[in-house]
Amino acid sequence: MSKKHIFLSQVFMTFIMAACMSGIMGLIFAGFSLEWLAAWPLQFLIAWPIAFALTMVAWPASMKAAAAVLCPRGGGGPAKSA
């Protein structure tokens, strides 16, 4: 996967997640109201750059953690049942 692909994936994923999470958390806090609808765009604009910055750190760390969990130890691979 190219660095451009990874970067663009992070842009799209953080956009989606920031929009959903800011909307959902605002909805839980304020309820379905005009106040919630008016506040959501600002909450999203605050959340998106934070989410993007965090993924720049969290994504490589999560990839390493997943590789460590899924990597077979001892070179034997998965045990086969007889």
Side-chain angles (χ1 to χ4, degrees):
M1 194 177 309
S2 73
K3 289 188 181 209
K4 283 183 184 179
H5 189 171
I6 292 168
F7 181 80
L8 193 55
S9 294
Q10 286 178 303
V11 169
F12 290 147
M13 180 56 68
T14 56
F15 178 91
I16 294 165
M17 292 303 296
C20 292
M21 291 303 295
S22 62
I24 291 167
M25 295 308 292
L27 188 60
I28 291 170
F29 177 75
F32 191 73
S33 64
L34 289 177
E35 178 184 85
W36 164 74
L37 195 56
W40 187 4
L42 179 59
Q43 292 170 350
F44 167 72
L45 289 175
I46 293 168
W48 190 11
I50 293 169
F52 183 79
L54 290 174
T55 63
M56 298 303 281
V57 174
W59 186 78
S62 65
M63 293 298 286
K64 287 179 184 175
V69 169
L70 296 175
C71 180
R73 304 219 187 258
K80 294 183 180 179
S81 58

